[in-house]
Amino acid sequence: MRSDYQLDVAASGAVLLGPSISCDGFHYSSDVRVQTHIHDDHMMEFETSKGNQLIVTSDATFALLENDLNADIPYRQNIKALQPPAIFNYEDTEIALVSSQHMLGSVQVAVTSPGAPCIGYSGDFQWPLERVITVEALVVDSTYGSPESLRKYSQDEAEERFLTLVIDRLRYGPVHVNAYRGTIQRALQILSGNVTCPLLGSPRLCAEVEVYRQFGYPIDVTATSAAEIKPDRFIMFYGKGDGKPVDPAGSTISLSAFMSKADDPVLRYSERAYRVALSNHADFEGTLEYVEATEAQYVVADNTRGRGVELAQEIVSRLGIAARPSLGEATYAWGG
């Protein structure tokens, strides 16, 4: 078993795939940055990359970046937008982008260079996936890398329970829903057409939803502020950059699988406060199944964004695949 695979995760969070490719972070040695999606923990030093690297991403991520950052994104010659599944060739290196179904535009990455094994990065991913990259060595997300991070229910069940909960709570007044990007649009999809009250969001959220519509999401939402709300039955959505409700009328539902129960997608804090485990991340078992599906012989568990040490140990003991946590070594050099 070889152990000289050129892949790791830098202290900055940049995923390093060979000598010239980084993902989701700037690194001084990398000519190319692949942007797997636009969640904040994957956007480190993006402005630095704009001035110093070629950036490769999906067409949907490009559209979301344009909506977010706007000013120069459409005019930059060093940002290449591809429609996955797609291959981008940089010199003699082939970079494949395959959907990870984590959020609009999110991708897995596989890198092939002459005389070198195919290496890849999972990015953040949903499970099961329609298509999984096949690689010899892999950097895998470990957000839910602990054996304790199990869900004994499907996401279809979680969606059904969310819809039922919202309909029930609307009998007592408005409902406030807070979630991360991707999950909030998924919630809007679940509710659009299934409830008769207004679906409301900030102008910022509505602009982002318009990008989702362009890529085929049939989502309804109306731009408004809390001060402008007139009806006594509505659902207000809060996403990135939106102030969260303070002393809200009605009920509040947070959408996250973090610290959720293994056997029930709904966590009740009180009669007016709930969490529902809608998640666009694979759980622990799904992560192991993903690793097996890639056919990787060597795995680095990303320890900057999750439980890399635990996950690496479990990959070795349960799957018999060589694995270690990412080293995250700081060089103290610019972009190190």
Side-chain angles (χ1 to χ4, degrees):
M1 170 68 65
R2 63 184 296 171
S3 59
D4 59 341
Y5 297 105
Q6 290 187 293
L7 75 171
D8 208 341
V9 185
S12 65
V15 176
L16 309 178
L17 300 180
S20 59
I21 313 297
S22 67
C23 302
D24 298 345
F26 174 71
H27 196 266
Y28 70 92
S29 70
S30 302
D31 299 326
V32 179
R33 171 180 180 145
V34 180
Q35 190 60 48
T36 67
H37 64 294
I38 64 163
H39 279 150
D40 289 349
D41 59 328
H42 293 258
M43 288 291 295
M44 285 83 71
E45 298 185 86
F46 187 78
E47 292 298 312
T48 303
S49 292
K50 283 201 307 185
N52 294 279
Q53 291 176 294
L54 175 65
I55 300 172
V56 178
T57 194
S58 70
D59 52 351
T61 293
F62 181 89
L64 289 168
L65 286 168
E66 182 179 354
N67 177 70
D68 253 20
L69 308 176
N70 194 18
D72 62 346
I73 294 292
Y75 310 105
R76 283 197 159 269
Q77 298 301 304
N78 67 324
I79 303 180
K80 306 299 179 185
L82 310 174
Q83 183 177 354
I87 291 175
F88 181 79
N89 290 296
Y90 174 72
E91 297 179 347
D92 59 355
T93 297
E94 181 180 281
I95 304 167
L97 305 185
V98 177
S99 174
S100 69
Q101 297 173 222
H102 174 65
M103 66 168 292
L104 178 64
S106 63
V107 294
Q108 309 162 74
V109 184
V111 174
T112 308
S113 300
C118 183
I119 58 179
Y121 173 43
S122 68
D124 288 357
F125 61 96
Q126 177 66 280
W127 189 257
L129 280 176
E130 292 175 7
R131 180 175 171 183
V132 176
I133 55 173
T134 302
V135 295
E136 188 172 324
L138 173 74
V139 176
V140 66
D141 172 64
S142 56
T143 299
Y144 291 96
S146 167
E148 297 176 0
S149 300
L150 295 173
R151 300 178 214 130
K152 298 175 182 177
Y153 46 83
S154 69
Q155 283 298 294
D156 286 343
E157 291 173 290
E159 289 184 359
E160 189 174 324
R161 292 285 301 281
F162 170 62
L163 176 59
T164 301
L165 177 63
V166 169
I167 292 171
D168 175 69
R169 295 316 303 166
L170 281 170
R171 294 186 298 139
Y172 306 100
V175 174
H176 303 263
V177 177
N178 43 146
Y180 291 108
R181 284 170 148 174
T183 306
I184 199 167
Q185 284 82 10
R186 184 174 156 199
L188 280 161
Q189 277 188 294
I190 294 165
L191 298 179
S192 293
N194 286 317
V195 294
T196 55
C197 66
L199 305 180
L200 309 175
S202 68
R204 185 217 56 77
L205 176 60
C206 291
E208 187 170 271
V209 164
E210 185 56 38
V211 177
Y212 275 73
R213 287 173 176 159
Q214 292 168 19
F215 284 86
Y217 284 64
I219 300 174
D220 296 319
V221 65
T222 301
T224 189
S225 69
E228 298 169 331
I229 297 171
K230 301 297 183 188
D232 59 0
R233 296 290 185 276
F234 61 84
I235 305 170
M236 186 78 185
F237 291 85
Y238 302 82
K240 181 190 174 184
D242 297 332
K244 300 302 183 284
V246 177
D247 193 23
S251 305
T252 300
I253 302 173
S254 177
L255 303 180
S256 172
F258 180 67
M259 301 215 31
S260 60
K261 295 187 286 186
D263 58 353
D264 191 339
V266 178
L267 179 60
R268 179 182 180 273
Y269 295 110
S270 73
E271 195 60 40
R272 294 176 50 196
Y274 301 83
R275 185 192 302 160
V276 180
L278 277 191
S279 178
N280 294 329
H281 277 279
D283 71 353
F284 174 70
E285 293 291 353
T287 301
L288 293 183
E289 290 172 15
Y290 173 84
V291 169
E292 280 192 298
T294 66
E295 301 180 14
Q297 300 174 32
Y298 184 81
V299 178
V300 173
D302 182 356
N303 203 33
T304 66
R305 299 181 181 91
R307 311 232 175 172
V309 174
E310 287 178 83
L311 181 57
Q313 291 171 342
E314 296 296 331
I315 289 171
V316 172
S317 64
R318 297 190 188 214
L319 304 181
I321 297 172
R324 65 167 174 84
S326 60
L327 300 177
E329 293 181 340
T331 65
Y332 301 104
W334 176 68

